[in-house]
Amino acid sequence: MSGNMNLTLKIWRQKNGNVQGELVTYPVKNISPDMSFLEMFDVLNEQLISEGKEPIAFDHDCREGICGMCSMFINGRAHGPKEGVTTCQLHMRSFKDGDTIVVEPWRATAFPVVKDLVVDRSAFDRVIAAGGFISANTGNSQDANALPISKFNADTAFDAAACIGCGACVATCKNASAMLFVSAKVSQLALLPQGQPERYRRVQSMVAQMDSEGFGNCTNTGACEAECPKGISISNIARMNRDYFAAKICKEEEVN
Amino acid sequence: MSKLNSNIPEGNLSEKWTKYRSSVPLVNPANKRNLEVIVVGSGLAGAAAAATLAELGYKVKCFCFQDSPRRAHSIAAQGGINAAKNYQNDGDSTYRLFYDTIKGGDYRAREANVHRLAEVSTNIIDQAVAQGVPLAREYGGLLSNRSFGGTQVQRTFYAAGQTGQQLLLGAYSALERQVGMGTVQMFSRHEMLEVVVIDGKARGIIARDLISGKLERHFGHAVLLCSGGYGNVFYLSTNAMGSNVTAAWKAHKKGAFFGNPCFTQIHPTCIPVSGDHQSKLTLMSESLRNDGRIWVPKKKGDDRKPNDIPEEERDYYLERRYPAFGNLVPRDVASRAAKERCDAGYGVGASKMAVYLDFAFNMDRYGRVEANKRGLQNPDAATIRALGKDVVKEKYGNLFDMYQQITGENPYETPMRIYPAVHYTMGGLWVDYNLMTTVPGLYALGEANFSDHGANRLGASALMQGLADGYFVIPYTIGSYLSNEIRTKNISTEHEAFAEAEKEVQERLNKFLNIKGTKSVDYFHKRLGKIMWDKCGMARNEQGLKEAISEIRELKAEFWNDVRVLGALDEFNPELEKAGRVADFIELGELMCIDALNRNESCGGHFREEYQTEEGEANRDDEKYAYVAAWEYKGEEARFELHKEELKFEAIKIAQRSYK
Ligand SMILES: Cc1cc2nc3c(=O)[nH]c(=O)nc-3n(C[C@H](O)[C@H](O)[C@H](O)COP(=O)(O)OP(=O)(O)OC[C@H]3O[C@@H](n4cnc5c(N)ncnc54)[C@H](O)[C@@H]3O)c2cc1C
Ligand code: FES
């Protein structure tokens, strides 16, 4: 079933991280409003292949808004015009026949371009490796119900843990700050009793790693929260800052 | 036949694992530091195994093709994870979980493995909570449970509709902790393309760095494949776009037998196909069947809106046919029942290939409970519905949003339309009790192996199995192999076996680029998918399977003559990656049809139209087919040879499966 939308796409093409890129214009025809944005890209890529041109590289995997792989900056907004969705969940019914759509990769020093719309987000993994965990080796645990946790804390921790690590917050922030991402993990673990023993060490090492990766500072514009496809709240940033300053001002033993 | 030794320990079923675990040879800490283990995959199975083995002291290298281990396909699991905790005091036990799994699998799984799975299930929940996984809780602060299909107890733990995400992030954080300590070396955006076998033992892999395009050689004293399932052989499935069989298929061609390849799970509740452009199908979690009732109109071709069809003109066909389990029958049963109604002309929606999943009844039920809690006297229908809607929203909000995103319809107002879709593969690499394949030193964990689920997997049991294999099984069982390897020095990757394997991979990649045909990789993938869905899907028969086999062979020839792969070897090239995966899917597709043709019975997800009861239920043949079909690859010419692992049921009386 093909549809009746005709669009003009301006897409960032860049062979690799060592060369300059540019926006290239491609017309696409007969797009159905029921297609997802990435399915529209599939159509375009089929068209390019049949013309003997290299298809556009873009990241995607689950195509249902949970893996955090897809990452397109569409008409100046991370994941496009609709709130609360990832690029893969965006459907063509959010656009009109005749529209021109500009698609670029995430832009941030800490996320260098790999090719076309694909960037390297491994900085996020390194931030987690620096402290985004609870040190509990396999087999060291007590019965799961031995430690009751209030529903409120469990739910709030879950809300923070819903982050998919896509990097839209970084791409959106004018300083390319990763505070929303980092604070979501810090908050999740700080809200839970299991996370207490390492609470202040964790926040310090994660923040140190974040800084060394070249992410910018947070100037509280709140743009990250507005563009986050999972609705991660900036109250997490406030929570992280409190823990961070508590850790810095007092010695570790005292804050614990 | 003689080639298969499942290595099941002696003794009483319920004591096998405990005894074995305490007698399996150990490797002392100093020796562990000299032993290297390669883990391919960072999903629940891979991340759990890599983290745990590193905690124990082994040197681990872990690979995934995504840009981060956190994005493995396990992240997408929605509904929940089973564990025999009996927190609800509703009569659950290790034995009951074991029994439900064997029965749910239609008596085609190995008793000893399944019992072990049920035993360790409880440890998984403890481990996840210790890591800070925010599983759903009640107001009292204790963990909450829900029901899944094929069981009559509430043993499913969950985190809203994002259970896989939360469990994977737990395992991922454990993995990253080891990465930070330098005990695991992580290789993201790397794809394993060959197993290296030296003197009959797996000794390493060839992987391609997907960014630079360079081939790399990696040595390991043992290799663990945790590479997930192969549902994408059908093109359309609920799996992520990148999910593939390549790792398992390479292993198969290097000597690892493939177990029960035709056992595929078709999940009953997915969003129906809307057009040719469709690239994947989206699951609506089984947990929705706790509160959603499935129906079609009683009248054929009834075009009225669902809300205009009065109660007495609706056919709640699952409740009608299976009163004991109702909407919570296992997946294979629910899927076939939906297909039966649609084929008979009662389907709904534009395509008529859908049934309704309706929440109105339970929204009202919850609404009345809430009204009572708040002391509201005689609340009106709208108030009740609004209160009930909030309850449903809390339970399944993200799934309802997802549905609305995709279909443009509001499922709080009108029932969902759903249809079965390919979801999971019970088949996979054959493994023994230690999870070792028929190649010594080569292991398979998680969805990549065939064990535990027989011919049909129960909901919420894949997460359980992946984590059981990774956290609690392999760390012990690998000792029985590695304890004999402590004198094996690292083999240089200059060894000729590495050079040869790399050369093979290189030639194959060159070949893709040099065909310079006219059709894209997706074109072939779609065609393969259609053959598989039509002839090796929800219903199969002899004639169709024979046709499918010859069509797949033709497709293979055409692919190798006419595929067009652009770009170069030494760069990031997603089309080249896809080409390799689809080439492997084509070969696997043929083996699946051969296996389905061999199995002259219906069991679980394998429904042969020739073998059904008068009421249309699966007709199993225990006399002839109570075995695992393990296929050996014999080269391009001789193709595949069948080996049988007879299944012995000692603890359970094998019986016809009934959910009536
Ligand atoms: C939409 C959906 C919902 C589900 N919901 C549930 C549920 O609620 N409960 C439940 O129990 N189960 C559920 N399942 C099933 C369950 O999620 C999977 O069976 C399970 O997560 C598989 O885990 P795994 O670790 O075996 O593999 P995966 O998570 O698929 O991981 C595979 C890993 O292997 C890597 N890999 C693969 N090939 C290569 C290669 N050649 N080279 C390098 N790396 C490679 C990948 O990068 C990835 O890291 C669901 C499945 C789907 C599709
Ligand atoms: S592709 Fe997974 S979130 Fe978009």
Side-chain angles (χ1 to χ4, degrees):
Chain A
M1 183 187 64
S2 54
N4 49 11
M5 292 168 77
N6 296 329
L7 306 160
T8 305
L9 300 172
K10 292 183 184 238
I11 299 174
W12 187 260
R13 303 293 317 248
Q14 182 172 342
K15 188 128 185 74
N16 57 51
N18 305 322
V19 299
Q20 293 280 319
E22 59 174 349
L23 282 173
V24 179
T25 304
Y26 301 99
V28 285
K29 293 202 177 61
N30 303 326
I31 296 299
S32 152
D34 288 333
M35 282 182 192
S36 71
F37 197 78
L38 296 184
E39 285 166 352
M40 186 269 292
F41 260 72
D42 294 341
V43 171
L44 171 61
N45 273 347
E46 279 293 309
Q47 184 181 313
L48 291 174
I49 293 169
S50 72
E51 293 165 4
K53 294 183 190 144
E54 241 194 88
I56 296 149
F58 61 94
D59 264 333
H60 65 113
D61 199 22
C62 74
R63 293 206 179 185
E64 55 185 61
I66 193 75
C67 74
M69 191 102 177
C70 63
S71 46
M72 292 185 187
F73 210 67
I74 302 166
N75 286 342
R77 294 185 66 181
H79 296 304
K82 244 182 109 88
E83 255 142 57
V85 298
T86 53
T87 303
C88 60
Q89 293 177 296
L90 183 64
H91 277 70
M92 294 315 292
R93 63 181 90 88
S94 299
F95 297 88
K96 290 193 308 292
D97 184 34
D99 275 359
T100 296
I101 308 173
V102 181
V103 188
E104 293 173 273
W106 284 174
R107 304 245 184 237
T109 317
F111 291 166
V113 171
V114 171
K115 184 176 185 175
D116 298 339
L117 302 172
V118 176
V119 300
D120 177 356
R121 288 169 285 191
S122 52
F124 273 5
D125 290 332
R126 291 187 291 274
V127 171
I128 298 294
F133 47 75
I134 287 171
S135 300
N137 281 2
T138 304
N140 286 353
S141 46
Q142 56 177 351
D143 183 83
N145 259 352
L147 185 69
I149 300 174
S150 82
K151 184 165 163 54
F152 176 80
N153 275 7
D155 287 352
T156 316
F158 172 79
D159 289 342
C163 167
I164 58 174
C166 63
C169 46
V170 175
T172 298
C173 175
K174 64 180 168 48
N175 310 319
S177 161
M179 289 288 271
L180 194 63
F181 168 79
V182 179
S183 69
K185 184 51 71 183
V186 167
S187 282
Q188 176 204 337
L189 301 179
L191 281 159
L192 297 171
Q194 309 90 301
Q196 298 313 308
E198 295 166 291
R199 179 170 177 179
Y200 296 98
R201 275 171 69 105
R202 175 183 309 119
V203 65
Q204 293 180 79
S205 30
M206 288 180 77
V207 168
Q209 186 65 32
M210 170 180 87
D211 290 342
S212 77
E213 293 289 347
F215 292 106
N217 292 323
C218 172
T219 48
N220 288 315
T221 60
C224 51
E225 178 186 68
E227 291 294 354
C228 173
K230 295 292 144 182
I232 303 296
S233 159
I234 47 171
S235 61
N236 289 308
I237 298 185
R239 199 177 286 121
M240 173 164 97
N241 282 338
R242 271 201 306 277
D243 277 10
Y244 185 74
F245 291 118
K248 283 284 166 206
I249 292 164
C250 318
K251 284 206 227 64
E252 166 114 353
E253 301 77 51
E254 291 165 8
V255 276
N256 272 337
Chain B
M1 209 165 181
S2 54
K3 288 196 188 172
L4 290 177
N5 182 355
S6 47
N7 287 315
I8 299 170
E10 292 299 313
N12 201 318
L13 183 66
S14 58
E15 288 158 17
K16 282 184 201 293
W17 176 237
T18 322
K19 279 198 178 149
Y20 183 68
R21 208 178 46 182
S22 35
S23 60
V24 77
L26 298 175
V27 179
N28 88 32
N31 285 329
K32 282 191 184 122
R33 283 195 289 276
N34 297 323
L35 290 171
E36 301 198 14
V37 181
I38 287 179
V39 179
V40 179
S42 64
L44 290 177
T52 306
L53 292 172
E55 286 162 11
L56 290 173
Y58 294 106
K59 276 164 80 174
V60 178
K61 285 179 171 180
C62 181
F63 295 78
C64 73
F65 64 77
Q66 291 92 346
D67 72 331
S68 162
R70 67 178 287 152
R71 304 199 205 288
H73 171 58
S74 295
I75 200 91
Q78 301 173 347
I81 177 167
N82 289 330
K85 280 284 196 187
N86 194 30
Y87 283 162
Q88 304 307 321
N89 193 29
D90 55 0
D92 201 5
S93 64
T94 301
Y95 182 81
R96 209 181 278 276
L97 173 53
F98 158 71
Y99 175 82
D100 286 348
T101 309
I102 292 278
K103 176 183 171 194
D106 220 353
Y107 305 92
R108 290 293 174 265
R110 196 189 282 153
E111 273 191 344
N113 285 50
V114 176
H115 200 277
R116 172 176 69 190
L117 176 67
E119 285 174 58
V120 303
S121 67
T122 54
N123 304 350
I124 298 171
I125 303 303
D126 299 342
Q127 182 61 28
V129 167
Q131 290 166 343
V133 172
L135 294 171
R137 287 177 186 268
E138 307 290 354
Y139 281 102
L142 302 179
L143 291 162
S144 174
N145 290 111
R146 54 168 59 142
S147 303
F148 256 59
T151 65
Q152 290 172 317
V153 294
Q154 292 200 318
R155 65 160 75 98
T156 306
F157 294 79
Y158 64 99
Q162 284 135 271
T163 316
Q165 179 198 27
Q166 295 309 319
L167 290 169
L168 181 61
L169 293 180
Y172 159 78
S173 66
L175 172 66
E176 287 299 338
R177 174 171 164 244
Q178 298 301 319
V179 171
M181 296 200 278
T183 51
V184 175
Q185 236 186 316
M186 185 70 219
F187 296 84
S188 296
R189 287 208 205 266
H190 273 67
E191 184 167 34
M192 172 215 140
L193 292 174
E194 196 53 274
V195 188
V196 178
V197 178
I198 298 176
D199 298 333
K201 292 178 173 174
R203 291 301 189 194
I205 63 168
I206 304 294
R208 181 165 175 265
D209 174 339
L210 299 180
I211 293 186
S212 69
K214 289 209 175 62
L215 294 181
E216 297 172 358
R217 304 172 185 184
H218 295 276
F219 164 81
H221 288 89
V223 176
L224 275 47
L225 300 183
C226 313
S227 47
Y230 52 84
N232 276 347
V233 65
F234 291 86
Y235 185 69
L236 286 181
S237 82
T238 61
N239 290 10
M241 302 299 287
S243 299
N244 70 89
V245 76
T246 290
W249 196 250
K250 300 303 182 203
H252 177 54
K253 289 178 114 175
K254 279 278 159 83
F257 293 4
F258 213 104
N260 297 331
C262 82
F263 286 171
T264 312
Q265 176 159 86
I266 317 272
H267 195 293
T269 55
C270 302
I271 301 179
V273 176
S274 77
D276 304 333
H277 57 263
Q278 195 112 11
S279 58
K280 76 155 285 175
L281 295 170
T282 303
L283 175 73
M284 286 289 107
S285 166
E286 178 158 311
S287 58
L288 293 172
R289 287 199 270 145
N290 274 285
D291 291 316
R293 298 175 68 197
I294 295 182
W295 62 276
V296 291
K298 280 188 179 161
K299 206 167 72 198
K300 269 189 198 179
D302 191 334
D303 280 330
R304 284 176 291 175
K305 291 212 182 77
N307 292 335
D308 295 341
I309 300 178
E311 202 50 40
E312 60 281 7
E313 293 179 42
R314 301 175 176 191
D315 176 14
Y316 294 91
Y317 58 86
L318 288 178
E319 298 170 25
R320 169 170 60 78
R321 284 178 68 178
Y322 307 100
F325 283 71
N327 290 295
L328 285 171
V329 290
R331 293 173 174 180
D332 53 337
V333 177
S335 290
R336 273 199 296 281
K339 179 177 188 307
E340 187 277 327
R341 282 293 82 187
C342 293
D343 289 350
Y346 296 91
V348 301
S351 65
K352 299 284 173 214
M353 291 305 271
V355 300
Y356 290 127
L357 178 61
D358 196 339
F359 298 87
F361 178 83
N362 283 303
M363 268 198 273
D364 289 343
R365 184 170 61 85
Y366 287 127
R368 280 190 295 274
V369 174
E370 288 301 306
N372 279 338
K373 278 195 208 158
R374 285 160 214 218
L376 297 180
Q377 303 290 328
N378 302 320
D380 58 18
T383 312
I384 292 179
R385 182 60 69 87
L387 289 169
K389 188 179 149 182
D390 288 343
V391 175
V392 166
K393 193 173 201 154
E394 181 179 333
K395 288 184 151 182
Y396 316 109
N398 73 316
L399 298 172
F400 276 53
D401 291 348
M402 218 192 266
Y403 181 86
Q404 183 156 13
Q405 256 332 302
I406 293 173
T407 62
E409 292 171 6
N410 179 352
Y412 293 103
E413 308 289 333
T414 181
M416 288 183 178
R417 282 173 299 109
I418 49 143
Y419 196 70
V422 174
H423 179 59
Y424 181 88
T425 48
M426 282 76 68
L429 293 173
W430 184 90
V431 290
D432 68 2
Y433 190 74
N434 292 321
L435 304 182
M436 186 145 87
T437 68
T438 46
V439 176
L442 183 66
Y443 292 79
L445 284 65
E447 195 174 338
N449 74 25
F450 88 103
S451 75
D452 298 8
H453 306 297
N456 174 60
R457 173 174 72 79
L458 291 181
S461 285
L463 301 183
M464 169 173 73
Q465 184 222 332
L467 289 176
D469 288 359
Y471 284 138
F472 297 108
V473 178
I474 197 73
Y476 292 98
T477 61
I478 203 169
S480 78
Y481 179 76
L482 289 180
S483 56
N484 292 317
E485 293 291 327
I486 51 177
R487 280 177 206 86
T488 310
K489 293 266 171 322
N490 284 14
I491 298 174
S492 157
T493 53
E494 296 304 316
H495 188 287
E496 60 182 12
F498 275 96
E500 225 166 85
E502 186 186 304
K503 191 164 146 259
E504 270 172 44
V505 173
Q506 184 79 36
E507 282 171 1
R508 187 176 157 92
L509 294 172
N510 277 326
K511 204 163 162 192
F512 289 128
L513 293 173
N514 290 332
I515 296 171
K516 299 194 195 306
T518 63
K519 304 279 188 342
S520 70
V521 176
D522 278 355
Y523 165 85
F524 291 100
H525 197 176
K526 283 183 190 172
R527 272 183 54 195
L528 174 67
K530 183 155 169 39
I531 300 172
M532 295 302 292
W533 179 246
D534 289 346
K535 298 182 173 163
C536 194
M538 241 189 297
R540 304 148 175 199
N541 61 52
E542 182 179 343
Q543 192 198 338
L545 288 165
K546 286 183 172 158
E547 285 165 11
I549 291 170
S550 67
E551 286 168 33
I552 293 172
R553 287 186 188 161
E554 284 161 29
L555 186 73
K556 181 175 172 187
E558 214 181 310
F559 175 90
W560 284 101
N561 262 312
D562 198 26
V563 74
R564 174 180 285 184
V565 183
L566 300 166
L569 266 189
D570 57 351
E571 63 170 351
F572 187 69
N573 190 344
E575 282 295 307
L576 183 60
E577 295 164 30
K578 264 200 285 188
R581 293 171 192 163
V582 171
D584 293 336
F585 276 139
I586 293 176
E587 296 183 7
L588 165 78
E590 182 185 343
L591 179 60
M592 288 170 72
C593 294
I594 292 174
D595 185 42
L597 188 60
N598 168 68
R599 197 169 275 279
N600 290 312
E601 65 162 349
S602 292
C603 59
H606 169 66
F607 191 74
R608 279 282 299 270
E609 286 167 342
E610 304 93 317
Y611 307 99
Q612 52 181 308
T613 65
E614 271 171 23
E615 294 150 315
E617 306 293 343
N619 210 347
R620 228 178 45 220
D621 183 349
D622 295 327
E623 288 276 296
K624 296 207 191 86
Y625 293 97
Y627 65 75
V628 177
W631 297 89
E632 179 180 9
Y633 180 73
K634 302 292 270 186
E636 277 295 306
E637 296 310 314
R639 315 194 73 78
F640 308 100
E641 183 184 329
L642 175 65
H643 301 264
K644 299 176 185 176
E645 179 197 341
E646 299 299 334
L647 292 168
K648 290 191 201 74
F649 293 92
E650 287 160 359
I652 285 185
K653 208 171 118 267
I654 191 160
Q656 206 209 346
R657 202 166 60 132
S658 169
Y659 292 94
K660 300 204 181 228

